[in-house]
Amino acid sequence: MPLHVHQHPLAAHIITHLRDKTTKPATFRTLAYQLSLLLAIEATSEIETVEKQIETPLEAVTGRVLAHQPLVVVPILRAGLGMLQPFTDLFPDVSVGYIGLERDHDTALARSYYCKLPPLKNTRVLLVDPMLATGGSAVKALDVIFGRGATEVDLLNIVAAPEGVAIVEKHYPAIRIFSGALDRELNAKKYILPGLGDFGDRLYGT
Ligand code: PRP
Ligand code: URA
């Protein structure tokens, strides 16, 4: 099963406050940061480390530090920007790529308007987008990322809908999806239920 729903009780606490329609953008941004931090830690729990000899003030010791496997985080604009900072905070050498996609309000089909990516061959890519609804945006972004030569890609969302998980799984059965919650379904306008509304609007107060 490619879907990993985050199990720490904090995730449920944070998502409940994100869902709450009275939560204002400043708090919403903090909560998005906190949940993305949990997801970043979970998705990288098997990241490669190497031995390093150091001296503490008291004696020599062999510790471990991150290996030099290039890590790339790719937020899908614009809402994905709300998940970016934990990665740059945790991983000092991370590279950042950007994919701009916007759903059409009537058709819910994603339109591409921007793409700037570092070289992706031999890297580990973490694609971040808070909402996995129809899965159209995620699959479009994955097409671009795999098209640029990436082979190791994880997708991180705050809320996923079963429809989106199924589409991603159908197109990319090997990738792992890390999500804060798996919601019930999509409504007629392709918004997630119970969901939290339009993530980008709530993040940026638009
Ligand atoms: C939202 C969200 C995802 C997309 C998910 O972005 O951030 O990118 O919808 O929907 P899907 O799975 O049906 O494709 P939106 O298009 O609203 O743009 P925004 O981030 O600029 O607000
Ligand atoms: N995009 C959002 O921001 N929210 C949804 O529920 C679906 C797509």
Side-chain angles (χ1 to χ4, degrees):
M1 182 67 182
L3 178 69
H4 303 255
V5 178
H6 197 82
Q7 294 302 319
H8 196 290
L10 261 176
H13 169 88
I14 293 166
I15 285 181
T16 299
H17 288 293
L18 282 168
R19 291 190 196 282
D20 186 339
K21 67 179 184 187
T22 68
T23 299
K24 297 207 163 32
T27 308
F28 195 90
R29 286 192 287 272
T30 302
L31 293 164
Y33 173 91
Q34 292 170 340
L35 188 56
S36 306
L37 182 62
L38 293 176
L39 294 174
I41 290 169
E42 184 184 12
T44 55
S45 64
E46 290 153 17
I47 198 165
E48 218 181 303
T49 57
V50 290
E51 284 189 352
K52 182 176 168 70
Q53 322 290 333
I54 51 132
E55 305 252 347
T56 78
L58 302 175
E59 63 176 18
V61 68
T62 305
R64 298 197 74 82
V65 293
L66 294 181
H68 284 296
Q69 184 191 21
L71 192 65
V72 180
V73 59
V74 180
I76 298 182
L77 305 177
R78 102 198 119 141
L81 288 178
M83 298 181 73
L84 175 60
Q85 199 187 330
F87 297 88
T88 52
D89 285 352
L90 288 173
F91 302 103
D93 297 329
V94 71
S95 304
V96 184
Y98 297 91
I99 294 179
L101 293 172
E102 187 177 30
R103 288 201 328 177
D104 181 279
H105 281 295
D106 297 322
T107 63
L109 294 175
R111 173 187 72 86
S112 168
Y113 62 87
Y114 188 74
C115 182
K116 188 140 192 136
L117 294 168
L120 298 181
K121 280 189 185 140
N122 303 316
T123 67
R124 166 110 188 263
V125 180
L126 300 168
L127 175 63
V128 300
D129 187 351
M131 307 304 277
L132 179 60
T134 64
S137 302
V139 168
K140 240 186 163 100
L142 289 166
D143 289 346
V144 172
I145 288 168
F146 282 106
R148 298 284 183 100
T151 50
E152 218 182 312
V153 185
D154 293 321
L155 172 64
L156 281 65
N157 313 116
I158 285 179
V159 176
E163 294 90 332
V165 174
I167 286 292
V168 171
E169 192 179 358
K170 182 172 156 214
H171 288 260
Y172 292 101
I175 77 155
R176 302 181 302 170
I177 305 172
F178 293 90
S179 194
L182 177 63
D183 273 11
R184 196 177 69 244
E185 61 184 345
L186 299 179
N187 69 10
K189 289 188 165 281
K190 309 295 183 196
Y191 275 79
I192 300 174
L193 296 175
L196 45 75
D198 188 303
F199 198 97
D201 285 349
R202 298 199 58 199
L203 189 67
Y204 295 120
T206 49

